[in-house]
Amino acid sequence: MNSNVCLCPPPPPPQNGEVAGDDKKKKKRRRDEANMAATAKLLRETKVIPNLIFSIEQYEKFLITLSKKSKVNLMQHMKLSTSRDFRINAATLDAALQEQDASQQQSQETSQEATVDTPPQPQKKRMKT
């Protein structure tokens, strides 16, 4: 026989799952890194938003004050933003709550008087949904 010929079977080809599994892991790792980078960038960019809003509100406040002192409308080309600086007056809140409670009690009393005059109506049956 010829000494150069090998009778060993050839090595099996790599299975598609092994190669694809490595590629999938690499793709997933790249995707995760990209997501983490995008998240970090978004957090960096959104950190300055509260400071920007505060600066705009301070600018508007000083512009309004200057307009009042100079008696010139400096806000004519400005769009007023939402005011986020407010305080709750406890005395006014208590008075409003007491008025609301009093009006609710009066409406309950009048509704009770009205129900005494009319006989109770049978309740309608509800369908299950």
Side-chain angles (χ1 to χ4, degrees):
M1 286 198 132
N2 195 350
S3 63
N4 292 338
V5 177
C6 178
L7 298 175
C8 304
Q15 295 179 355
N16 290 340
E18 293 175 1
V19 175
D22 291 339
D23 288 342
K24 287 182 182 178
K25 288 180 184 178
K26 288 180 183 178
K27 286 181 182 179
K28 184 178 180 186
R29 190 177 320 131
R30 287 185 198 140
R31 201 176 322 126
D32 289 344
E33 289 173 358
N35 285 342
M36 288 175 34
T39 303
K41 181 180 178 184
L42 184 67
L43 288 175
R44 269 194 317 269
E45 290 175 352
T46 56
K47 274 186 182 178
V48 297
I49 292 175
N51 292 333
L52 176 66
I53 291 173
F54 179 74
S55 299
I56 291 171
E57 289 175 351
Q58 290 299 311
Y59 175 74
E60 287 180 352
K61 182 175 101 174
F62 290 130
L63 200 60
I64 290 170
T65 306
L66 186 62
S67 293
K68 287 180 182 177
K69 288 182 180 179
S70 66
K71 296 181 182 176
V72 176
N73 186 9
L74 300 174
M75 297 291 291
Q76 65 187 11
H77 299 296
M78 295 282 297
K79 179 184 174 189
L80 290 178
S81 64
T82 304
S83 178
R84 292 176 182 86
D85 184 25
F86 63 91
R87 291 194 178 103
I88 297 174
N89 189 350
T92 307
L93 180 63
D94 288 338
L97 288 174
Q98 288 176 357
E99 288 177 14
Q100 185 179 10
D101 289 341
S103 65
Q104 285 179 351
Q105 287 176 353
Q106 288 176 354
S107 64
Q108 287 177 353
E109 289 173 0
T110 56
S111 65
Q112 287 176 355
E113 290 172 2
T115 56
V116 171
D117 295 339
T118 59
Q121 297 178 354
Q123 294 181 348
K124 294 181 180 179
K125 294 183 179 179
R126 296 183 183 169
M127 296 179 64
K128 294 183 180 178
T129 55

